[in-house]
């Protein structure tokens, strides 16, 4: 295994373009090293992206949005008070990843690029309308986060392409987001279902909404019908039922040792309602 | 496989070692530097027996490559006592019998110290969540949590 630590994305792209065999990028390594040690993936080339200047920064953009560097750890994200205040759902998703030790290393970019359908930070990013800058041998492109995951362990990134930054749109006024997951214990487990909702209000009415589900399909999914059930409502009981019906219909889970199809669909409905209520209360400024 | 030369500072002392790029920091600490305090319980980030700090950040050394330690300051359980004077956490672990086989203890001491370094008066809930990534098969955790709380209160009084 060849280990590289490029100082620029250009160099990282060049190394990846000429590398033979299996290439992995190294952010926090909490997936890469587990897979390496278990013999699941032994990269021939490992490209550490953490030494590229700027990758640990969280930057406020002129339009009020945010750019998050690809090596920012979960712990660093959680300590950023202004970001937490505006996008609590995005941050709480990432902060659910693993233990204190894992939080010291794990990144949003790694969680996204690892391609797990149960990745805890991805529904929050999708609901937020986050985008990523992707750099590669054929130039730079910007992709919506929901267009990155393809299937378990796979993404739509082309060989040699690197996520260079994650962008959150301006939160604006009267917005709120939230992420909840169900796990059989209280810490250190993989989501059986995850749900993230971001919405904005016009008075008491929901003006815009995005609903994302994790762990109930081969990838994290954006559910437009569930968002439509919320828009124009005050999150009354009728709207909550419609949200639950739409979310459950969109969920296409599998049965495994963590839960059956029926159980996952039930939990999807429960989490969708709870997540919507938290996001709504946050948008009203009634909850943190 | 060519090895890479790594310079780091471990518990305040400059060290140099040669690491195979696939080698974990845990293996480098144990096999290259003879610091066998950090343990391997799982090798997959689940048990915390290998906990160390890297530039002050608590991590699982089984999930860090040795080559990533270049230029970093590493803290292990061997650096917790001042010579033969035990750290309050170490004394309280003995007083409260917060260990039986002791396999988890180095990792828990490093993790607990990292907590107290940034939060001098954690609540019991904060201690339990902070240590959620440190598994212990023997004690049932209560004694560990009590020892950490007691050490924290003694350290607050000493200031
Ligand atoms: C004990 C333990 C508990 C965990 N618990 C959870 C949990 O509760 N929820 C959860 O979702 N996950 C969990 N994980 C999985 C893992 O911690 C997360 O997926 C984490 O966010 C991965 O980030 P990383 O920076 O460590 O990624 P890495 O391991 O560095 O990389 C992961 C993958 O992404 C690729 N990659 C990384 N950065 C880029 C980039 N910039 N561009 C292109 N590709 C890139 C790598 O090539 C690799 O394939 C857990 C892991 C452990 C060890
Ligand atoms: S040995 Fe590193 S977490 Fe278990
Ligand atoms: S004392 Fe035996 S594992 Fe904790």
């Amino acid at each position: 295994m060849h280990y590289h630590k490029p100082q620029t994305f250009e160099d990282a792209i060049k190394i990846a373009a000429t590398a033979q065999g299996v290439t992995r990028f190294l952010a926090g390594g909490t997936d890469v090293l587990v897979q390496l040690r278990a013999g699941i993936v032994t990269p021939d080339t490992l490209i550490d992206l953490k030494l590229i200047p700027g990758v640990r920064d969280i930057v406020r953009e002129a339009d009020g949005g945010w750019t998050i560097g690809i090596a920012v750890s979960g712990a660093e994200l959680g300590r950023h008070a202004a970001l937490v205040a505006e996008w609590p759902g995005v941050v709480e998703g990432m902060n659910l990843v693993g233990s204190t030790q894992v939080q010291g290393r794990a990144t949003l970019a790694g969680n996204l690029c690892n391609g797990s359908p149960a990745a805890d930070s991805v529904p929050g990013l999708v609901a937020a309308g986050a985008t990523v800058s992707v750099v590669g041998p054929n130039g730079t492109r910007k992709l919506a986060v929901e267009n990155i995951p393809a299937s378990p362990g796979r993404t739509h990134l082309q060989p040699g392409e690197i996520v260079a930054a994650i962008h959150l749109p301006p939160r604006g006024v009267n917005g709120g987001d939230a992420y909840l997951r169900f796990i059989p214990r209280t810490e250190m487990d993989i989501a059986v279902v995850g749900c993230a909702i971001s919405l904005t209000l016009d008075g008491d009415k929901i003006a815009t909404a995005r609903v994302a589900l994790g762990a109930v399909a081969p990838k994290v999914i954006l559910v437009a019908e569930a968002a439509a059930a919320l828009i124009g409502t005050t999150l009354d009981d009728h709207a909550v039922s419609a949200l639950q019906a739409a979310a459950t219909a969109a969920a296409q889970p599998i049965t495994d040792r963590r839960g059956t199809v029926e159980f996952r669909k039930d939990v999807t409905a429960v989490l969708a309602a709870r997540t919507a209520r938290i996001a709504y209360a946050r948008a009203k400024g009634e909850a943190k | 496989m060519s090895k890479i030369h790594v310079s780091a500072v471990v518990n305040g002392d400059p060290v140099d070692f040669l690491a195979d790029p696939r080698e974990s920091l845990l293996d480098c600490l144990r096999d290259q530097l003879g610091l066998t305090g950090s343990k391997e319980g799982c090798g997959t980030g689940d048990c915390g027996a290998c906990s160390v700090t890297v530039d002050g950040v608590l991590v699982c050394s089984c999930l860090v490559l040795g080559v990533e330690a270049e230029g970093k300051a590493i803290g292990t359980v061997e650096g917790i006592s001042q010579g033969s004077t035990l750290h309050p956490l170490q004394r309280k672990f003995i007083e409260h019998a917060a260990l039986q086989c002791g396999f988890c203890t180095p990792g828990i001491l490093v993790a607990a110290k990292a907590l107290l370094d940034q939060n001098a008066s954690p609540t019991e809930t904060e201690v339990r969540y902070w240590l959620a990534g440190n598994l212990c098969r023997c004690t049932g955790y209560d004694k560990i949590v009590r020892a950490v709380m007691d050490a924290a209160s003694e350290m607050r009084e000493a200031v």
Side-chain angles (χ1 to χ4, degrees), chain B residues 122-145:
Chain B
T123 63
E124 184 182 326
T125 305
E126 284 170 336
V127 172
R128 286 185 186 274
Y129 271 96
W130 183 271
L131 295 178
N134 291 86
L135 303 186
C136 174
R137 304 302 301 266
C138 304
T139 63
Y141 301 104
D142 280 354
K143 294 170 171 184
I144 292 172
V145 174

Side-chain angles (χ1 to χ4, degrees), chain B residues 56-122:
Chain B
V57 178
L58 183 68
V59 300
C60 296
S61 62
C62 72
L63 294 188
V64 178
L65 292 173
V67 291
E68 288 184 81
E70 173 65 36
K72 306 279 187 201
I74 315 293
T76 73
V77 69
E78 286 89 348
I80 288 187
S81 68
Q82 300 269 318
S84 58
T85 310
L86 294 183
H87 187 277
L89 275 165
Q90 292 171 308
R91 265 192 293 105
K92 292 298 175 189
F93 267 59
I94 297 168
E95 271 176 41
H96 288 265
L99 63 152
Q100 288 174 34
C101 78
F103 198 79
C104 68
T105 313
I108 294 188
L109 287 170
V110 171
K113 181 169 179 294
L115 171 63
L116 300 188
D117 283 348
Q118 65 160 58
N119 180 358
S121 32

